[in-house]
Amino acid sequence: MNTYEELLTAIDAGDNGRPIYDPATGDLVGHAPQHSVADLNAAVDAAASAQKAWSLLSDADRCDYLQRAADAIDAAAPALAELITREQGKPYSGPGSRFEAGACSTWLRVTCSHDLSEETVVDDGETHAVINYRPIGVVAAIGPWNWPAMITIWQIAPALRMGNAVVVKPSEYTPLTVLALVKILNSVLPEGVLQIVSGDGSIGAALTTHEKVGKVMFTGSTATGRRIAESSGASVKRLTLELGGNDAGIVLPDADPKAIAEGLFWGAFINMGQTCAALKRLYVHDSIYDAVCTELTELAKQMPMGHGIDETNVLGPVQNKMQFDIVDNLVTAAKDSGARVLLGGEPDRDAPGYFFPLTLIADISPDHPLVVQEQFGPALPIVRYTDLDWAIEQANSLDVGLGASVWSSDRDKAREVATQIEAGTIWINSHGGVDPRIPFGGIKQSGYGVEFGVAGLTSLGVPQVING
Ligand code: NAD
């Protein structure tokens, strides 16, 4: 199952499969099954019964399976990358589909490398108490359409290592990639421990209320996360909620505009801005505002955009019409408000594919919807500031707090500013990079719980104390 054709053929869409189209061309990519609630119930039952034997394996044996699953992903990586490009839109090149397919095996391997030994909390001669983490049971993994393969692996790798079985529900926009990924993993894993059901939000909702599901790993919008928090409450499910963000970047007056331009660019435009922790609003000190705008504009002009199968392109289309329209409306409103368009701003709405030109908007009001709402697309508002405290206040003014960044030639100064920002991660002189060893998660309405690292791993277990 290592070629593109084999991956697609392995997906059984049944008689009522949903057509999935290439966002760059509108061409048919394949059909995804539309599972029913009865299918979902069968998947949860199968996962629950397979979980028992899986949990009785040693940690080393489970990691052996996961390492071999990583090998299987590596063998299928070129085909998986092609499917990601054709379904999701991100190109092979740049931080695109090859990067995403490669990250899947890396994440599996690193998740197995975290040390999970028993923790002794008290050992004073009188009391001896230790903590171990037991599996939860069946974990639901519900994901979005922006990084469909990578985010699915983020959810299932720690869940499986901790001895859980997993039922995956991919986004209805990018189900084929995740269906193929699960096929690849299941070529190695014991039967039953990894299940997938494909469908829209109603299938996701049924999963999050299923009595046999013990934990929901959810990555998606804040609105859906809120619904899941409510609906899963009846059975007190554990939750990790990785939700929306509107990350601010603050450029201090001592930053070097030329040196930071590339980091700012990819921080904002990776995956066409359709990244949870992308740089979504930039605050630049007045003294270097024009220089930063010029450097960013010159760089952005050189970035080739087109169908991702063409290796020369580093940017592709927006993934779907809904997101294209959200970005289009916000940019139109910004132009109407008198903000200055440095680049882009005017898509060809009649052309095939959801291509939206890279858009940089200067001299925009700090309260404009393009600044205060999550655009999740290739349009960056750049706000001018003179007072750093005001810029920090602006960065903290929203009800979300996923990531943020500070840009400066003085790392100590940048760190001092970083401590004043309300976000789960603050990067210095970069934005949005994640690492399987470093916990990642949001605060405020960007969600709760963390993924990655030992903290992410243990959140897929339940702590058990042995006292005595
Ligand atoms: P979305 O919330 O619309 O959908 C996400 C998933 O939830 C889909 O699989 C969908 O079918 C499912 N779903 C919809 N309604 C549901 C319900 N009632 N119960 C259960 N599941 C339901 O999000 P999206 O548009 O796919 O993704 C974009 C959003 O995700 C952005 O806001 C982005 O910032 C966020 N995101 C966050 C992270 C993070 O790590 N924090 C990562 C990627 C994306």
Side-chain angles (χ1 to χ4, degrees), residues 235-247:
S235 50
V236 197
K237 295 190 195 317
R238 286 161 173 75
L239 297 179
T240 296
L241 297 178
E242 296 286 3
L243 309 179
N246 191 347
D247 291 11

PDB file of all heavy atoms in Angstrom, residues 235-247:
ATOM      1  N   SER A 235     -21.215  12.476  30.903  1.00  0.00           N
ATOM      2  CA  SER A 235     -20.511  11.251  31.340  1.00  0.00           C
ATOM      3  C   SER A 235     -19.099  11.575  31.848  1.00  0.00           C
ATOM      4  O   SER A 235     -18.252  10.699  31.943  1.00  0.00           O
ATOM      5  CB  SER A 235     -20.456  10.245  30.199  1.00  0.00           C
ATOM      6  OG  SER A 235     -19.987  10.859  29.020  1.00  0.00           O
ATOM      7  N   VAL A 236     -18.861  12.840  32.167  1.00  0.00           N
ATOM      8  CA  VAL A 236     -17.594  13.295  32.771  1.00  0.00           C
ATOM      9  C   VAL A 236     -16.376  12.763  32.003  1.00  0.00           C
ATOM     10  O   VAL A 236     -15.471  12.164  32.567  1.00  0.00           O
ATOM     11  CB  VAL A 236     -17.499  12.912  34.272  1.00  0.00           C
ATOM     12  CG1 VAL A 236     -16.405  13.740  34.967  1.00  0.00           C
ATOM     13  CG2 VAL A 236     -18.810  13.129  34.983  1.00  0.00           C
ATOM     14  N   LYS A 237     -16.392  12.983  30.701  1.00  0.00           N
ATOM     15  CA  LYS A 237     -15.243  12.549  29.905  1.00  0.00           C
ATOM     16  C   LYS A 237     -14.065  13.483  30.128  1.00  0.00           C
ATOM     17  O   LYS A 237     -14.240  14.681  30.350  1.00  0.00           O
ATOM     18  CB  LYS A 237     -15.612  12.571  28.414  1.00  0.00           C
ATOM     19  CG  LYS A 237     -16.694  11.584  28.053  1.00  0.00           C
ATOM     20  CD  LYS A 237     -16.849  11.478  26.565  1.00  0.00           C
ATOM     21  CE  LYS A 237     -18.148  10.798  26.177  1.00  0.00           C
ATOM     22  NZ  LYS A 237     -18.519   9.628  26.941  1.00  0.00           N
ATOM     23  N   ARG A 238     -12.887  12.915  30.048  1.00  0.00           N
ATOM     24  CA  ARG A 238     -11.693  13.757  30.058  1.00  0.00           C
ATOM     25  C   ARG A 238     -11.575  14.431  28.696  1.00  0.00           C
ATOM     26  O   ARG A 238     -11.961  13.856  27.684  1.00  0.00           O
ATOM     27  CB  ARG A 238     -10.473  12.896  30.351  1.00  0.00           C
ATOM     28  CG  ARG A 238     -10.435  12.502  31.785  1.00  0.00           C
ATOM     29  CD  ARG A 238      -9.559  11.331  32.079  1.00  0.00           C
ATOM     30  NE  ARG A 238      -9.483  11.174  33.521  1.00  0.00           N
ATOM     31  CZ  ARG A 238     -10.462  10.673  34.272  1.00  0.00           C
ATOM     32  NH1 ARG A 238     -11.574  10.253  33.710  1.00  0.00           N
ATOM     33  NH2 ARG A 238     -10.347  10.599  35.576  1.00  0.00           N
ATOM     34  N   LEU A 239     -11.019  15.630  28.690  1.00  0.00           N
ATOM     35  CA  LEU A 239     -10.926  16.383  27.433  1.00  0.00           C
ATOM     36  C   LEU A 239      -9.553  17.024  27.271  1.00  0.00           C
ATOM     37  O   LEU A 239      -8.991  17.530  28.233  1.00  0.00           O
ATOM     38  CB  LEU A 239     -11.930  17.544  27.417  1.00  0.00           C
ATOM     39  CG  LEU A 239     -13.423  17.248  27.464  1.00  0.00           C
ATOM     40  CD1 LEU A 239     -14.203  18.560  27.454  1.00  0.00           C
ATOM     41  CD2 LEU A 239     -13.823  16.393  26.274  1.00  0.00           C
ATOM     42  N   THR A 240      -9.035  16.980  26.062  1.00  0.00           N
ATOM     43  CA  THR A 240      -7.964  17.897  25.677  1.00  0.00           C
ATOM     44  C   THR A 240      -8.538  18.711  24.532  1.00  0.00           C
ATOM     45  O   THR A 240      -8.942  18.157  23.504  1.00  0.00           O
ATOM     46  CB  THR A 240      -6.698  17.138  25.218  1.00  0.00           C
ATOM     47  OG1 THR A 240      -6.181  16.395  26.316  1.00  0.00           O
ATOM     48  CG2 THR A 240      -5.625  18.115  24.734  1.00  0.00           C
ATOM     49  N   LEU A 241      -8.595  20.018  24.714  1.00  0.00           N
ATOM     50  CA  LEU A 241      -9.203  20.888  23.706  1.00  0.00           C
ATOM     51  C   LEU A 241      -8.127  21.812  23.138  1.00  0.00           C
ATOM     52  O   LEU A 241      -7.610  22.683  23.839  1.00  0.00           O
ATOM     53  CB  LEU A 241     -10.329  21.722  24.324  1.00  0.00           C
ATOM     54  CG  LEU A 241     -11.532  20.945  24.879  1.00  0.00           C
ATOM     55  CD1 LEU A 241     -12.545  21.907  25.502  1.00  0.00           C
ATOM     56  CD2 LEU A 241     -12.204  20.123  23.781  1.00  0.00           C
ATOM     57  N   GLU A 242      -7.768  21.564  21.885  1.00  0.00           N
ATOM     58  CA  GLU A 242      -6.834  22.445  21.164  1.00  0.00           C
ATOM     59  C   GLU A 242      -7.673  23.268  20.203  1.00  0.00           C
ATOM     60  O   GLU A 242      -8.090  22.769  19.157  1.00  0.00           O
ATOM     61  CB  GLU A 242      -5.800  21.613  20.397  1.00  0.00           C
ATOM     62  CG  GLU A 242      -4.887  20.774  21.263  1.00  0.00           C
ATOM     63  CD  GLU A 242      -3.828  21.599  21.981  1.00  0.00           C
ATOM     64  OE1 GLU A 242      -3.832  22.841  21.863  1.00  0.00           O
ATOM     65  OE2 GLU A 242      -3.005  20.982  22.673  1.00  0.00           O
ATOM     66  N   LEU A 243      -7.921  24.513  20.558  1.00  0.00           N
ATOM     67  CA  LEU A 243      -8.931  25.289  19.824  1.00  0.00           C
ATOM     68  C   LEU A 243      -8.307  26.432  19.029  1.00  0.00           C
ATOM     69  O   LEU A 243      -7.096  26.480  18.840  1.00  0.00           O
ATOM     70  CB  LEU A 243      -9.989  25.786  20.811  1.00  0.00           C
ATOM     71  CG  LEU A 243     -10.579  24.700  21.721  1.00  0.00           C
ATOM     72  CD1 LEU A 243     -11.599  25.283  22.678  1.00  0.00           C
ATOM     73  CD2 LEU A 243     -11.168  23.555  20.916  1.00  0.00           C
ATOM     74  N   GLY A 244      -9.129  27.323  18.601  1.00  0.00           N
ATOM     75  CA  GLY A 244      -8.662  28.409  17.746  1.00  0.00           C
ATOM     76  C   GLY A 244      -7.739  29.381  18.458  1.00  0.00           C
ATOM     77  O   GLY A 244      -7.656  29.415  19.682  1.00  0.00           O
ATOM     78  N   GLY A 245      -7.040  30.150  17.667  1.00  0.00           N
ATOM     79  CA  GLY A 245      -6.162  31.169  18.224  1.00  0.00           C
ATOM     80  C   GLY A 245      -6.192  32.409  17.352  1.00  0.00           C
ATOM     81  O   GLY A 245      -6.772  32.405  16.257  1.00  0.00           O
ATOM     82  N   ASN A 246      -5.623  33.467  17.856  1.00  0.00           N
ATOM     83  CA  ASN A 246      -5.419  34.669  17.034  1.00  0.00           C
ATOM     84  C   ASN A 246      -4.097  35.270  17.498  1.00  0.00           C
ATOM     85  O   ASN A 246      -4.058  36.315  18.164  1.00  0.00           O
ATOM     86  CB  ASN A 246      -6.594  35.644  17.186  1.00  0.00           C
ATOM     87  CG  ASN A 246      -6.529  36.741  16.147  1.00  0.00           C
ATOM     88  OD1 ASN A 246      -5.504  36.921  15.472  1.00  0.00           O
ATOM     89  ND2 ASN A 246      -7.604  37.501  16.012  1.00  0.00           N
ATOM     90  N   ASP A 247      -3.014  34.553  17.143  1.00  0.00           N
ATOM     91  CA  ASP A 247      -1.700  34.843  17.722  1.00  0.00           C
ATOM     92  C   ASP A 247      -1.166  36.217  17.318  1.00  0.00           C
ATOM     93  O   ASP A 247      -1.149  36.569  16.132  1.00  0.00           O
ATOM     94  CB  ASP A 247      -0.680  33.800  17.263  1.00  0.00           C
ATOM     95  CG  ASP A 247      -0.938  32.422  17.861  1.00  0.00           C
ATOM     96  OD1 ASP A 247      -2.006  32.212  18.450  1.00  0.00           O
ATOM     97  OD2 ASP A 247      -0.043  31.566  17.705  1.00  0.00           O
TER      98      ASP A 247
END
